[in-house]
Amino acid sequence: MARKTRTTNTPLDQTRIIQTALQLLDEIGLKELSMNKIANKLQVKTASLYYHIQDKDELMGLLADRISSSMEWPDSSLSWREQLGLWGESFRKVLLSHRDTVDLFNSSIASGYDRLKQVERLYALLSSVGFPDQQVPWVASILKNYVLGFVGEEVRLRLNAEQGAISNAELSERYNQYYSQLPSEEFPTVIRLASYTTNSDWAKEFEFGLNVLTEGLAVKLQ
Amino acid sequence: MARKTRTTNTPLDQTRIIQTALQLLDEIGLKELSMNKIANKLQVKTASLYYHIQDKDELMGLLADRISSSMEWPDSSLSWREQLGLWGESFRKVLLSHRDTVDLFNSSIASGYDRLKQVERLYALLSSVGFPDQQVPWVASILKNYVLGFVGEEVRLRLNAEQGAISNAELSERYNQYYSQLPSEEFPTVIRLASYTTNSDWAKEFEFGLNVLTEGLAVKLQ
DNA sequence: ACCTGAACACCGTTCAAGT
DNA sequence: ACCTGAACACCGTTCAAGT
């Protein structure tokens, strides 16, 4: 048997597990990310992970926390509209910095220190702007969900676009799937707008939506 | 061996599989829903399912489609604000009618006939209201994501509430988890608003958010 | 204190074979 | 045409045992 050339093993710990898991996440995606594969990459038996971590759920939470720790925050001297705009861009950027982050954020419930810190900052911002206490969590939730939802869809559609178009051609196939011979008059608007659903300027669309929210919030603030 | 009392097996087909899967979903939740368990409930071997269905992903898509088929649509004679309000309530109601629907909708990409039909109707509504073609898919996406995000959080928090409170007591534990001795001054706003993050009137909060969106959209329509 | 061997109870999917 | 037996390549998790 060949002796394994193993450069003196650094001892395992949470940080190293998280690091490796994050790297692997970007290589293979969330669906393929398994405890076995993480252990393998660390040149360690799977069971070893469980000495440093409770279970996969906890690890996912730590991953999400680690990712959200790199959020950048807008200068509080700016206007609240500008701050919200920059916050949104920053959050979106963080979510796009790794693969499948939206699913990761949605799956892990327990928020660690870093995610709580994000909440704290957003709450503080909204509170200082003048939203009544009861509405602050509501508004924060709206904003967070907007970004998560948007980026989730952005990533999905970008992937589809790479794999070669969901547009008109495939669209007409899709409803024949269920009802053998559907009149195309069933989906006039979808068909008419098909060209707009595919490629687009994501940054611009993101800004549009965030602006809708901001305008709506401004009304509430009056 | 006891003879199994099996009331003359109805032949398997997609509809029956979907029906059973949906039932099982409500009993055990999406995470526990497996091909094996579905087959079991149908008194059939797991492999049999694959004669009627391509894979689990397809089944999840069919499930989501089936669920969204029970959407009710507002009368088109109403004002657009009223229509959007009713649409939102209807969508939320549909999502709350089964367990883990938000995860289900987020996981299944391919939309079948019924989900496409929902898109068509929403597009048509927005288009008739006066949104320019390019913005119609954007606005539809914002609205859809709002409802999905809201209900997702609603379900998560309701579950936490049942299992006994995430409030102040446990909160202070949570950041000690990462930094051994955190001054509670790190999260003043979160702590101050803790009572508002827990229990609340969900319907009212939902309406609030939808109203923010509507107001923002009204600005865009001018 | 830290890691492993071995086992447990599962997954989703395929495919030749039976009826 | 419809279903199954048997196998494949995986999962996450536990726990007594080794060092």
Side-chain angles (χ1 to χ4, degrees), chain B residues 19-77:
Chain B
Q19 228 170 6
T20 309
L22 201 52
Q23 222 176 298
L24 207 52
L25 173 68
D26 288 332
E27 291 171 16
I28 63 180
L30 188 60
K31 280 211 114 180
E32 288 295 311
L33 186 66
S34 75
M35 299 302 271
N36 289 327
K37 287 176 187 162
I38 294 168
N40 223 313
K41 184 152 195 168
L42 284 161
Q43 285 181 295
V44 137
K45 298 299 157 194
T46 310
S48 311
L49 299 178
Y50 289 85
Y51 183 80
H52 302 276
I53 249 155
Q54 279 237 326
D55 52 22
K56 198 186 179 184
D57 269 1
E58 194 194 53
L59 180 53
M60 295 301 111
L62 291 169
L63 236 51
D65 220 49
R66 159 78 180 250
I67 289 169
S68 64
S69 74
S70 59
M71 268 283 281
E72 279 170 20
W73 278 79
D75 196 304
S76 59
S77 65

